[in-house]
Amino acid sequence: MILKFKKNILKHSEIFGTNVFNESNFKQYLNKESYNNLIEVIDKGGKISKSLADQIAAAMKSWAISKEVTHYSHWFQPLTGNTAEKHDAFFEISSDGYPLEKFDGAQLAQQEPDASSFPSGGIRNTFEARGYTAWDPSSPAFIFDTTLCIPTIFVSYTGEALDYKTPLLKSIASLDSAATSVCKFFDKNVSKVYPTLGWEQEYFLIDKSLMDSRPDLKLTGRTLLGHGSSKGQQLSDHYFGSIPNRVLEFMKELEYECLRLGIPIKTRHNEVAPSQFELAPIHEEVNLSVDHNSLLMDIMYKVAYKHDLEVLFHEKPFDGINGSGKHNNWSLATNTGVNLLSPGKTPMSNLQFLTFFINTISAVLEHEELLRACIASASNDLRLGANEAPPAILSVFIGEQLTKVIEDLKNVSKGKLSPEEKTDLKLNVIGKIPEILLDNTDRNRTSPFAFTGNKFEFRAVGSKANCAKPMTFLNAMVAEQLISFKVKVDDLISKKNMKKDDAIFNILRDQIKKIKPILFEGDGYSDSWIKEAKKRNLSHNKSTPESLESYIQVKSIKLFSSLNILSKREIEARYIVDLQEYIMRIQIEARTLGDISRNHIIPTAIKYQNTLIENVKGIKEIYGSDYKKYANEQMSLIKRISEHIAAINSGVNLMIESRKKANKISNDHKKALEYSNKVLTKMNPIRYHCDKLELLVDNTLWPLAKYRELLFSC
Ligand code: ADP
Ligand code: MG
C-alpha cells in the first residue's frame, strides 16, 4: 500500500501572531468583564486596576508557560535607539520553601531597571539612577527566545521620559484629539483618529567571515576605507535579478519569525546596490508599527547570524554605492475605517481629504527645519544629498493633479461663497479628484516628503533610525496645525456667521497661499534646487550638529510643551543626547580609521615594499649597472608606496591633533561642530591614500576584505 502524506506547510495566516498575547488570547483567558475593561483601556487609555492587572498577569503567565517560556522582561526603547531588556525568571521560592512560578500585576505593570547606563541628556542625577518601565497595554506582549516581552515606556525617577515610546504615545493622543475634532466637521460618527505607519526597511547582508576581517564595519557599521569595486551597481543587475538562494533562505526564516510575532511582513526584494535588500509590512497603527520595526531589527541580527551573515543597517556602509533608508509611509485613519489621506467618492469626503492633506503640508512648512533635524545622525548625513537619497532640504511633492486642484482652490472668493461658486467648486474642483490617485501620481523619487496617493512618504528617514522619533515629530506638528485650523474655522463660523463649508474653504485658501515655498515637483538632486530652496528661505542644514539646533528653537519648544509631549527640559535633554551621540560616533570612526591605517595598512604596505626592495636588489645582482632598465617599475612603486605611507602618517597625526582640540571643548554643540568641521574632514584624505595602496599592494597580502568581496559575498 502506498501511503500519501499531506505536506505540512502552514499558511502565513496560520502562523501570524502565534507568539503574541493578542485579543483572541484575552478572550480565552479573561472573564468577560475583565476582557471588556482591558479593551476599553487599549482603545481609550486610562488606568488598569490592581485586580485587573493581576488577572491579566495570571493569564499571560499561563499562556507563556504553555509555550515553554521561563522568563519575562520589560521591553523598551531607550535613547540609544535600540531596544533594551532585563530578563527575570518566573521562578521563585515561596515563603514556606517551595519552588514555584510567579508573575503578578505589579510585575506586569512596573520594573525598575538601573537607568544609569542609558543616555539621559542630564535628566538623571547621579545620585538617583533609578528609572521605571511601565507597561504599555496598547502594544501586545510577545514571546521572543523563551522570554515573555512586555512593551513598556521608560521614565526617570522624576517622571521625565528617557525613551522614544513615551513622547510617541503622547503625540498619538494629541493628534487623535486634534484630528477627531476636525473630523467632526465632516462626520459626527468619528470618535477616534489614529496615525498609521508602514515602513520600508532597507539593509545590506554581508558574509560573516568577511565582515570579521573588517574592524571598521564591526565598530562603526560602515567601511572607513576600501577602493571601489570595478563592478558595482552600474549594470542594475542586482535590482532586477532574482534573490540569491542564501539570502532567500535568510528571508524565509526571518519572515517566519516576524509572522509569529505578529509583524505583518508583505514585501521582499533586491535593492539597487549589490547585497542590498528591502522588506516592508502591511501598515499598522503607529505605536505598534514602531515597536514592530524595532523588534524586526533585533530579529534580523539574530536570524542573519544563524545563516553566517551579518546585517548592516548603517545608512552608508559603502562609499560610491547607494546607501539605505527607511521610508516612513504615514497616514491618518478613523475608527469608522476611513483613510483621511485618501480621496473619497463624494465632494464632501474630498473636502475632508483636502483638509487633512493641506494641513499636513502647512505643518511641514512651519516646522521643515525640525523635521529635517529629527532624522539627523552622523550616519544619515553621509546618505542625504548623495544623489541617491533625498537632499537635506525638506520639501513636499504632491503631483500634477493635486497641484492643479490647489491652484483652483487658491481662487476661492474671500468671505461667504455664492451658491454658484460652491456648486462649481464641488462639481469641478474637489468633485474631480479621482478616487484613486495612486496610479496618477508621478512617483518623484528625489522628494524627501512625497504624497503617494493615499499617504505621505517621509523618505529622508535613515535605515538605522528608530521610527518613533520622526513619527513623534510629525504627529506633533500636524496636531498643532489641526488645532489652529479648527480654531480659525470655528472663529469664522461664530464671529463672521459663516457656514461651515464656507469657513473651511476660506481657511484652506489662506493656507494654500502660504504653502508654495515647501512644494517642489522637480529634481531634488539638482544643484539648481539648492539655489532655489535658498531663495524660498528653506533651511539647508547639511550636518547633524547644525541641524539639531532647531530642537531648541522657541517654536519647537512651544510645539512640544504646549501639546504636553515633551517639556522644555526633556527636549533640551534630547538635544544633548543627540549631540553627544554624534560626537561619539565620529570619535569612534576617527579612532578606528587611525588604528586600521597604522596597524593594518602601513605594515602591509611596508611588507610589500620590502619584497619589491628585495626584488630590485636581486635584479641588480644579475644585471649590475644595467639594473634600472629592469627595475624601473618596481623602483617607482617603492617610491609611491613611501609617499602614500608618509601621507597617511601625517594625515593620522593631523586627525589626532584635531580630536584632542575638539575633546577640550566642553559645550556639546560647539564640540559636535568641531568634530564635524575639523575631525570628520580629516578622514577622507587618509582614506584616499589607503585606497591607493590597496590598488598597489599584492592582493594576497591585503588584510581587509575588499569591496568586490564584501559586496558580492551572498
Ligand atoms: P508602493 O509604494 O511600493 O507602491 P504600497 O503603496 O502598497 O507600495 O506601500 C508601500 C508602503 O506603504 C508599505 O510599507 C505599506 O505598509 C505602506 N502603506 C500603505 N498604505 C498606508 C497607509 N494608509 N498608512 C501608512 N502606510 C501605508
Ligand atoms: Mg516607498
Side-chain angles (χ1 to χ4, degrees), residues 200 327 445 457:
E200 299 164 57
H327 296 177
R445 285 286 156 201
E457 190 167 333

Side-chain angles (χ1 to χ4, degrees), residues 493-521:
I493 295 172
S494 63
K495 294 185 187 143
K496 298 266 160 91
N497 206 13
M498 266 193 205
K499 285 222 172 79
K500 185 181 69 190
D501 293 8
D502 294 11
I504 292 174
F505 275 122
N506 268 273
I507 301 300
L508 288 182
R509 182 205 51 229
D510 291 351
Q511 278 179 233
I512 289 170
K513 286 193 170 154
K514 292 188 191 138
I515 58 180
K516 198 146 190 254
I518 197 81
L519 297 177
F520 180 61
E521 304 285 299

Side-chain angles (χ1 to χ4, degrees), residues 3 31 43 108 131 205 224-225 228 236 240 292-293 358 369 401 446 454 463 488 514 516 588 597 620 635 638 642:
L3 284 176
N31 65 36
D43 277 353
L108 166 66
L205 280 178
L224 298 171
L225 70 179
S236 297
F240 295 113
H292 279 165
N293 184 251
I358 291 166
E369 199 167 5
Q401 284 178 319
T446 66
N454 57 1
S463 47
K488 286 182 188 155
K514 292 188 191 138
K516 198 146 190 254
I588 294 168
S597 331
K620 202 169 175 183
M635 285 165 63
I638 292 169
S642 285

Side-chain angles (χ1 to χ4, degrees), residues 200 329-331 339 341-342 438 443 450-457:
E200 299 164 57
N329 294 273
W330 175 93
S331 190
N339 175 354
L341 288 175
S342 189
L438 284 172
R443 305 284 185 101
F451 183 71
T452 48
N454 57 1
K455 60 194 184 285
F456 279 100
E457 190 167 333

Side-chain angles (χ1 to χ4, degrees), residues 194-201 264 266-267 269 278-286 289 327-333 339-342 438-439 443 445 452-457 459:
Y194 50 95
T196 51
L197 165 66
W199 34 263
E200 299 164 57
Q201 179 72 56
K266 173 112 174 131
T267 311
H269 62 84
E278 178 183 308
L279 86 168
I282 296 168
H283 64 278
E284 299 174 285
E285 180 276 313
V286 164
S289 185
H327 296 177
N328 276 205
N329 294 273
W330 175 93
S331 190
L332 294 167
N339 175 354
L340 293 169
L341 288 175
S342 189
L438 284 172
D439 297 332
R443 305 284 185 101
R445 285 286 156 201
T452 48
N454 57 1
K455 60 194 184 285
F456 279 100
E457 190 167 333
R459 300 209 188 102

